[in-house]
Every structure is written in structure tokens, then in C-alpha cells.
Amino acid sequence: MSEFTVLNPATEQPVTTVAQPTAADTDAAIARADAAQARWRAVAPGERAAMLRRFAAAVDSHVDELADLEVAGSGHPVGQARWEAGHVRDVLQYYSAAPERLIGQQIPVPGGLNVTFHEPVGVVGLIVPWNFPMPILAWGMAPALAAGNTVIAKPAELTPLTAIRIGELAAEAGLPDGVFQVMPGKGSVVGQRLVDHPAVRKIVFTGSTEVGREIMAGCARQIKRVTLELGGKSANIVLADADLERAAATAPYAVFDNAGQDCCARSRILVQRSVLDRFMELFEPAVKGVAVGDPAAPGTEMGPLISAAHRQHVASYVPEGAPVAFRGSAPAGPGFWFPPTVLAPVSADDPAYTEEVFGPVVTVTPVEDEAEAIAIANDTPYGLSGSIWTSDVGRAIRVARAVESGNLSVNSHSSVRYWTPFGGFKQSGLGRELGPDAPDAFTETKNVFIATD
Ligand code: TAP
């Protein structure tokens, strides 16, 4: 079995090595998951709920340990990493209520009784990217398990540590053998096998649109169920009647959080021309005030990028002569650092303006009015997220309804709340995660008619 060395992105030093499973190891895990599925779905709903609550409690008592692993292995600022570990607990807790609420329907029909059941789909393959290893794992794992499925999670090769630990905590909390397994390894080996193996009945994939397209094509061969959460190029629309102080103070965090490695990053700021100068005056100190540095230090707001290769990719969007309006700071020395960078004015064909950068780079573009803001916001193959700043309630609703995007926030930058559905329009994805209906995406509706005559 080969090994992968996990690097600390803030120091470039090795953290640990992780064994890489082969395709045959993956097949063995799928066989275990398949065998466990019949037993797991037969566990009484109340008992399944109790097991998920014990799993949540186990995560809760290891929040600091999980956060430290994410700081070391992914470079996330420790405050954010603690929030992420707590989020795993909360998502498990939320969906622990689902087993006892998988309620079907009784439908009036002639000649008998008609009822529907929500049956688990079976073995679920969960393919997770490196940018939010813990939250994205939880969004698939918790509702899938609650609905009676068994789950094999494949974390990104670069960031497997927290998923491996969460897998151990599941076992310690008493989840039966084979119900939840973590298979760190290459997408081209483990991930591909999950897509190709007929015993895996559903794939939940988060990652790039490019790989997502291949996964969807692979699933199509077996009519395998698939949920996709893909890229984004979201707009932060600041209209002239907005609270400019708040809009400018919060805009850096809407794109530089997680060093911009966020599918929901509002990487295109669209500002009504009449307030552009004032917005930029306020935005500059806000960008320069972002605390970039050691992720283990409590006050840090932004850490490094995930890898040297990714930093090179992000840097390609800011070539020599790029229209840099202003930049924040970044430490010198080892680590995959890249400073918060504001580009303005940008041309309409600048790749930084048209493509997902997935790094701390934002463009600022003037718009004449509401209509132009909507047109530009929608002029992208993506449609995941976005923000609208205005003090006019009617206008906020009008713009929110017109922007082709799955998750919008008004006078805030909220995207992901586990109580509400999350997912993308257009090439940002397929299906929804989270919210009260998430377990349904892991079930098949079965209709049963019982003759009474
Ligand atoms: P990808 O390269 O697409 O990788 C995502 C996951 O897929 C990784 O676990 C990867 O494994 C695996 N994978 C790669 N090739 C595969 C294959 N042929 N078959 C099965 N699995 C395969 O993305 P990334 O670089 O990790 O993440 C960045 C991208 O993801 C960005 O474009 C971002 O927008 C998007 N993203 C979207 C969202 C949402 S919620 N919409 C959230 C996070 C990220 P390896 O680690 O071995 O490559």
C-alpha cells in the first residue's frame, strides 16, 4: 500500500503519512458497507436516532482535537476550525431527529389502502474536497445515515485527517461495523471505484465542475443517483441605497474567508457607480485589516492556501501588470501564502473576472443600476451564492428573485445554515443538501397498495 504525506500548509512541514487504499481495498469496503446495510436499515428508528446522538456527543467531546487536526492538516484558522468541528456535531444532532420522522403518505384510492415508504437507497459514496473537509463530510454523512444508508466517505487526498478521526469516533460511539467507513486515497482510484461499482447506489460529490461532470457521466452508466455541489462565481451586489459602511466592512470576509477557497466566495463585487468611490474608500482599510497569519493563533482570520500547486494556480490570475487596486498582507517565509488582493478596474474578459479563482482574489466592477447588476450577476455558467446590499425591502426581494443562484443573502453574507437547503443553479450543481428535506435525497419512495376488497 502506498502512502501520502500530509503537509502543514502554513509551514510546508510534514504532519503525518496516510496509507492509500487500492481499488481492491475499496471493493472490500463496499462489500462491508453492502453487508451492513440490511442490518442498519433494520435498526429501530429510535435506536438509530440514539446512535447518531451518541456519535454527535463523541464529536462534541473532541472538538478541540478535531480543530487542531484541521489547523495542522488544512491551514484553517483555529477559530474557524473549532466552528467546523462544532458544525459536524450540530449536523449530526439535527439529522438524528430524522429516523423517527421518515414519514410516508396514506393516499386515498379506490379498492384498498395506499401507503408510501421512504426506503434507503443503499450504499452511498461520499466524495469530499479539500476546502471544507469537516462540514462537507457532515452534510452527506448525517442525513444519509439517518435515512438508513451505509456510507463510504472519501476525503480529498490532501486533507484526510479529520475525516479519519471522525470515522474512529463513529466506531467509538457504537455505530455498527461497516455502517460508516472512511477511505482516504486518490480520486482516480477510490473515488472512481465508488462511481463505477454497481453496489454503490448513490454518489454525493463536492468539488470542481470539471470532475463533477465526469462523475455525473460515470453515474449515468448505471442510472446511479447523484448529488453534485460544484463551483461558483458569485456576486456581491452593492446598490446605492445600501449601508455602505457595513457592506464594505463585511465584503472582505465574503470572499477571503478560508483564503477564498470557498465555492460560495463572493468574488465579483458589483457596486452601483454613484457610490463606487465611497465604497472603495471604505473597502481598502477593511481589506488591509484582515488578519492573515499563523492559523494556530487565536486572532487569525485567514490562513494559507492548501498547496504550492494551488498557490501557483491562484497567482496566475494576478500576473505582472494586473490591475491591483490594493492588497492585504501575508507572512513571508515558508507556507503557501497569498495576500488578499483586490483587482479594479478589470476587463470583461479577464480570467479573474470570469473564472472561479478559489483564492483570495476579488474584482470590483461598477454597475449603472439594478438591472445591470442582475444581468452581470447572471452572466456566468455558475449559480451558487450571492449577496445583495440595499435598504429597500422590495428591491432586495426583486433582485433576489432575479439572480439565478441557489443561496442568496440580503444585507449579510450567509450561505450555509444546516437548517436550510443548500445547492446550486446551472453548472454549480445538481440537487440540494441540508435543510429539513435532506434525508429524502437518500431514499427511494416506495408505493404499496393493499386491496381491501
Ligand atoms: P476536485 O479536484 O474536483 O476534487 C474533489 C474530490 O473529488 C476529491 O476528493 C478528489 O480526490 C475527488 N476526485 C478527483 N477525481 C476524481 C475521479 N475521477 N473520480 C472520483 N473522485 C475524484 O476539487 P477540489 O480541487 O478538491 O476542490 C476545489 C473545487 O471544488 C472548486 O472548484 C470549488 O468550487 C469546488 N467546491 C464546491 C463546493 C460546493 S459546496 N459547491 C464546495 C467545495 C468545493 P483527490 O483529492 O484525490 O483529487
Side-chain angles (χ1 to χ4, degrees), residues 20 127-132 136 139 154-159 185-195 205-212 214-215 228-232 261-264 310 356 358 382 384 416 422-424 428-429 433:
Q20 301 283 69
I127 302 174
V128 178
W130 47 258
N131 62 335
F132 287 111
I136 293 172
W139 303 347
K154 193 213 87 67
E157 189 180 20
L158 294 174
T159 57
K186 282 189 185 306
S188 55
V189 179
V190 178
Q192 192 65 50
R193 198 63 198 130
L194 292 173
V195 172
F205 171 83
T206 302
S208 60
T209 295
E210 194 186 3
V211 174
E214 293 306 310
I215 300 242
L228 302 172
E229 298 287 359
L230 308 173
Q261 303 166 121
D262 182 345
C263 48
C264 292
H310 188 57
E356 179 176 51
F358 224 56
Y382 297 114
L384 189 56
V416 180
F422 175 71
S428 284
E433 299 192 274

Side-chain angles (χ1 to χ4, degrees), residues 112 198 306 335:
I306 190 67

Side-chain angles (χ1 to χ4, degrees), residues 345-355 365 379:
V346 281
S347 61
D349 61 352
D350 187 328
Y353 177 67
T354 58
E355 295 176 15
T365 301
D379 186 20

